[in-house]
Each structure stands twice: as C-alpha cells, then as structure tokens.
C-alpha cells in the first residue's frame, strides 16, 4: 500500500516536504518506529556547527592561541564557516610571536594566515596529490594580503613530514605538522603545527582604524533621539571604551524612541541605564553573523547575577533578523555602520528587557497605581504574562498534535 505524508517545518521556511513510502505489511510496532523516525528527521535540523573556543579549551597547551583568536575576533569568523582548518600552535610558539610586540590588528593578520578555507584532516595532509598544494587562508579572504601572500604551501617533505610555508618560501618550511587535535568531517579540522608560519606581509604594521564618534554616527543617520538618551545618561564612554575589542549596537529609530519616552521617563535612573546598555552587545557581530545565529545572546546590561540576565533572543526569518526580548520583537531595518570591530544597526522598536519591566510593574502596584493597559501603541509592548501563556498554549498544541499523530499511525496497523 501507499502512504503519503506531508510535513511542515518552520525551520525550513515552511516549505512542504512530500514523502511517498511504499510499504509491505509488517508488524505495526516496527512500522510505527520507522514512521516516527521519518517524522523526526523532518523536524530536526541537522547542523555541523562547531565552536573553536570550546574545542581548544580542552587543551591547556593552546590557551594563549585560543585567547588571541577571541581577542582578534577570528573565533567568531571560524565558527560561522562551514569548511575550515585551524592550525593551532602551543603556548611557547605564541610567546615567541608575542615577543615581537605586534599590534592586535597585525596579530589578527598573522593568526588569520593559520586558518585555511578548506578541510585538511591528518590523512589528507599525508596524501596530497603530487605531494604539494596551495590553499587560501582567511588572510587572503580579508583582502589585507598583498597579491597572493595569503596562500599557504603545504608539502610532504622527507621523513613523511608535512611542511607549511607561504607561497614563495624558497623550499624553507617554517612550520610542520605535529598532530590532529580534533576532526569533524568535513566541517572543521583542528591540527597542531610546530611554529608560527613566517610571513613578512602578515607581520607588516597595520594602523588602527580611525576613531568613530558613535554619537555623531547615530545623530546623522536617523537615531538622533537615542543618541540624546545616551549623552544625557552619561554612559557614552561605556560604549566607546569597549569599541576597540568589539561592539554591536542596536539603535531604535527616532519615531519609536519618541513614542517610548513616557515609559522611559517613568523608570528609575538605574533602570534607564540598564535599558540603554541592553541595546549593546560587547562583541562585534556582522549582519551575516547575526543571520547565521539563532538563540540567546548577552548584552552590556548582563551581569553575573542569576536573576539579572538581561539577554534577548536572535531569530532569523528569511533575510530578516529579529530580536526577541519576550516583551517586544524588534527587526533590524538598516545598517548605520558595519566595519569590524564596530557594528551599528537600526531597529524598529525599543528593546524592552523582561527583567526591567517586570520590576517596574511591581513598583507601580506597590504604589497603588493601576498597571498601564496595553494600548497597542507603536512600540509594540506585550505583557510578559500573556507571552508566557501563549508559549504554554503553543507547546500544549504541538504536544497534542504529536500525540494524535502517533495514535493515528498506530491505528493504521492494528
């Protein structure tokens, strides 16, 4: 007999997957298990995500290398790529590099030379066609490398060793393969090499990017009112102090800030500061990185306290990036600036942390003031309790549908 099932997956933009299964009569428990397996395979998204920081954290000998991947923001670039090889060096080799007192921008170029835009397992390294090959690195991909200096020559040398050097190396290999650290075919390969790969082009001095006045940037590009709030609260320096190490700011447009002002003024001074800090992430996130991310993210308002998370969820809807605080869902509507280490984006709502607005509701009630009703104004506020109820209703609906599906399949084979 023929059974035809139609599945919908929100994780795949609600495209319908049509499965036609031709089956012979078999014991129903086996058939039920098979059908459930097919069902789950359509609703679970298989990913090859990796986290270079977590991989290297298991090996103390790479702690310095790991730290500088984070400081130079190469770690996030590595994590968002699908096919990549990372050549890690131990702490002693990193100490030799740091003794040169290179700027953080030059260090980024040197370390990006150790990240290949291809997958090389230990086995592949020892079985290179014709014994030698050239591979592109992130240094080449950034456009910072002059000519083809961002390519690495990988060669099987005498004694079954594998050597690494820049393209024009005169037969001298400054580093050699030591061991495989972790391989996730064909997603990421982390290997250890003996030394830093020498490159005068990568070690060339790099000037720091010109200083950017974040207030002027916002004022001139449609976020004047939000810039005023930052200045009045005297926390502009808090943003600029971390800019060099990476900063992402979500700036509500003037119209929604003006609409939100009465609620903002009703907050305590500390509450106002927390809300403004909530619009910043202490790390650089390009729009491409945000589009590849789904899940919670910490903000500048986040503290180590268990009850003071001040995080929100990044959600992707096609090309749109949305930020969900459980109170409002804002959408990125434009880019003011996206030049590492700073990214500033326009959003269509003021981000309202659930921690802060729950606390405000308690303060109002303690003063015998009736809670402000939801008027459906432009800032799109949704009561936190209503959001929780909707989430519970959705979970119950999905669970009930799944149980109905299982029981109906069982009945087919009874």
């Amino acid at each position: 007999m023929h059974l035809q099932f139609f599945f919908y997956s929100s994780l795949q933009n609600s495209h319908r997957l049509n499965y036609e299964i031709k089956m012979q009569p078999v014991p129903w428990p086996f058939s039920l298990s098979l059908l459930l397996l097919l069902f789950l395979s359509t609703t679970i998204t298989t990913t090859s995500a990796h986290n270079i920081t977590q991989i290297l954290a298991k090996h103390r000998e790479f702690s310095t290398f790991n730290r500088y991947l984070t400081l130079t923001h190469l770690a996030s670039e590595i994590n968002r790529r699908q096919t990549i090889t990372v050549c890690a060096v131990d702490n002693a080799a990193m100490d030799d590099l740091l003794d040169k007192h290179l700027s953080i921008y030059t260090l980024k170029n040197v370390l990006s030379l150790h990240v290949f835009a291809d997958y090389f397992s230990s086995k592949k390294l020892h079985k290179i066609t014709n014994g030698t090959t050239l591979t592109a690195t992130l240094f080449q991909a950034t456009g910072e490398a002059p000519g083809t200096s961002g390519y690495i020559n990988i060669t099987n040398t005498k004694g079954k060793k594998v050597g690494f050097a820049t393209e024009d190396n005169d037969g001298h290999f400054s580093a050699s393969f030591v061991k495989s650290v972790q391989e996730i075919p064909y997603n990421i390969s982390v290997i250890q090499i003996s030394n830093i790969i020498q490159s005068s082009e990568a070690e060339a001095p790099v000037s720091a990017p010109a200083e950017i006045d974040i207030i002027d940037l916002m004022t001139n590009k449609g976020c004047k009112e939000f810039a005023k709030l930052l200045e009045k609260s005297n926390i502009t320096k808090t943003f600029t102090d971390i800019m060099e190490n990476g900063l992402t700011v979500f700036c509500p447009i003037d119209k929604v800030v003006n609409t939100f002002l009465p609620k903002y003024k009703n907050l305590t001074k500390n509450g106002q500061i927390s809300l403004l800090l909530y619009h910043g992430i202490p790390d650089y996130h390009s729009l491409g990185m945000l589009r590849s991310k789904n899940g919670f993210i910490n903000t500048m308002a986040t503290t180590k306290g268990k009850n003071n998370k001040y995080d929100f969820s990044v959600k992707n809807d096609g090309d749109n990036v949305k930020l969900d605080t459980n109170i409002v869902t804002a959408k990125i509507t434009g880019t003011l600036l996206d030049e590492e280490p700073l990214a500033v984006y326009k959003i269509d709502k003021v981000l309202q942390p659930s921690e802060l607005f729950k606390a405000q509701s308690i303060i109002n009630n303690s003063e015998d003031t009736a809670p402000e009703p939801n008027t459906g104004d432009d800032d799109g506020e949704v009561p936190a309790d209503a959001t929780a109820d909707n989430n519970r209703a959705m979970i119950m609906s999905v669970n009930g549908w799944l149980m109905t599906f299982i029981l109906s399949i069982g009945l087919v084979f009874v």
Side-chain angles (χ1 to χ4, degrees):
M1 61 179 173
H2 289 78
L3 296 177
Q4 193 172 55
F5 300 93
F6 298 92
F7 299 104
Y8 293 85
S9 172
S10 61
L11 295 176
Q12 298 177 347
N13 297 323
S14 299
H15 292 315
R16 186 169 69 180
L17 301 180
N18 188 343
Y19 288 89
E20 186 172 21
I21 307 169
K22 186 172 183 180
M23 304 177 63
Q24 297 298 326
V26 291
W28 79 268
F30 174 79
S31 301
L32 178 57
S33 299
L34 177 61
L35 290 169
L36 286 176
L37 179 61
L38 289 172
F39 170 72
L40 291 174
S41 70
T42 66
T43 56
I44 299 175
T45 302
T46 57
T47 63
S48 54
H50 54 262
N51 188 310
I52 185 62
T53 304
Q54 292 180 0
I55 292 173
L56 293 176
K58 302 173 185 177
H59 307 271
R60 296 182 62 183
E61 66 270 28
F62 303 129
S63 60
T64 306
F65 181 79
N66 196 14
R67 177 170 178 263
Y68 277 89
L69 286 185
T70 299
L71 290 176
T72 57
H73 304 289
L74 282 172
S76 56
E77 181 70 14
I78 292 168
N79 291 341
R80 76 179 183 86
R81 290 180 175 262
Q82 295 300 312
T83 304
I84 206 158
T85 299
V86 179
C87 300
V89 296
D90 63 19
N91 293 340
M94 279 299 298
D95 287 343
D96 291 339
L97 175 63
L98 296 177
D99 283 344
K100 296 181 179 182
H101 302 290
L102 305 174
S103 72
I104 192 69
Y105 307 103
T106 301
L107 281 173
K108 180 176 182 178
N109 285 344
V110 174
L111 294 182
S112 64
L113 196 67
H114 293 68
V115 184
F116 304 159
D118 199 356
Y119 179 85
F120 287 94
S121 63
S122 174
K123 182 178 180 180
K124 183 178 178 179
L125 287 172
H126 288 91
K127 292 186 176 181
I128 294 175
T129 304
N130 298 324
T132 186
T133 188
L134 284 176
T135 189
T137 68
L138 288 191
F139 183 42
Q140 187 70 29
T142 61
E144 298 292 332
T148 58
S149 60
Y151 284 86
I152 291 295
N153 181 311
I154 307 175
T155 298
N156 289 322
T157 61
K158 294 180 180 180
K160 296 183 178 180
K161 290 186 177 181
V162 179
F164 301 85
T166 53
E167 181 181 9
D168 185 15
N169 58 74
D170 297 326
H172 173 69
F173 294 89
S174 55
S176 60
F177 175 76
V178 177
K179 66 180 180 182
S180 174
V181 178
Q182 184 166 341
E183 298 175 8
I184 307 177
Y186 292 90
N187 178 220
I188 184 171
S189 174
V190 182
I191 62 175
Q192 181 184 359
I193 61 175
S194 59
N195 302 295
I196 291 290
I197 300 173
Q198 300 298 317
S199 168
S200 57
E201 289 84 0
E203 294 183 16
V206 177
S207 57
E211 289 188 8
I212 297 173
D213 189 321
I214 193 170
I215 297 298
D216 284 347
L217 175 68
M218 292 179 181
T219 300
N220 296 327
K221 294 195 175 184
C223 292
K224 181 178 180 180
E225 298 304 319
F226 186 74
K228 285 181 180 179
L229 296 181
L230 290 179
E231 284 190 305
K232 290 180 180 179
S233 62
N234 296 319
I235 62 168
T236 304
K237 190 174 184 299
T238 305
F239 283 81
T240 57
D241 283 349
I242 67 172
M243 195 182 301
E244 182 177 333
N245 291 324
L247 174 65
T248 303
V249 181
F250 301 101
C251 179
I253 58 177
D254 290 341
K255 177 182 177 181
V256 299
V257 172
N258 286 330
T259 302
F260 181 75
L261 274 179
K263 296 179 181 178
Y264 177 82
K265 292 177 180 179
N266 196 40
L267 296 172
T268 64
K269 184 176 181 180
N270 287 337
Q272 292 175 355
I273 291 175
S274 294
L275 182 133
L276 296 175
L277 293 176
Y278 190 62
H279 287 73
I281 299 174
D283 199 358
Y284 166 77
H285 290 272
S286 67
L287 194 57
M289 292 164 68
L290 289 170
R291 282 177 177 156
S292 64
K293 182 179 181 63
N294 280 288
F296 288 96
I297 193 166
N298 289 336
T299 68
M300 291 173 62
T302 302
T303 66
K304 295 181 180 179
K306 293 183 179 179
N307 298 320
N308 194 15
K309 293 181 179 180
Y310 279 97
D311 56 12
F312 56 74
S313 179
V314 178
K315 297 181 178 180
N316 289 279
D317 179 14
D319 289 334
N320 294 324
V321 178
K322 296 182 179 180
L323 315 175
D324 184 3
T325 75
N326 282 333
I327 301 295
V328 296
T329 299
K331 181 174 69 175
I332 294 178
T333 59
T335 302
L336 275 62
L337 180 72
D338 185 1
E339 294 179 7
E340 193 171 0
L342 175 64
V344 184
Y345 304 105
K346 286 183 181 180
I347 55 176
D348 62 355
K349 290 182 176 68
V350 174
L351 298 178
Q352 300 176 42
S354 58
E355 297 88 352
L356 181 61
F357 282 88
K358 285 178 182 177
Q360 183 66 19
S361 177
I362 293 172
I363 292 173
N364 288 339
N365 289 335
S366 67
E367 295 175 351
D368 295 326
T369 303
E372 182 178 348
N374 180 22
T375 58
D377 52 316
D378 288 344
D379 68 336
E381 181 178 358
V382 178
D385 291 343
T387 303
D389 289 341
N390 289 337
N391 290 339
R392 284 192 292 270
M394 183 179 295
I395 293 170
M396 291 175 66
S397 176
V398 171
N399 288 341
W401 180 88
L402 179 58
M403 183 57 68
T404 302
F405 173 82
I406 294 172
L407 291 174
S408 63
I409 294 300
L411 290 174
V412 171
F413 296 96
V414 174

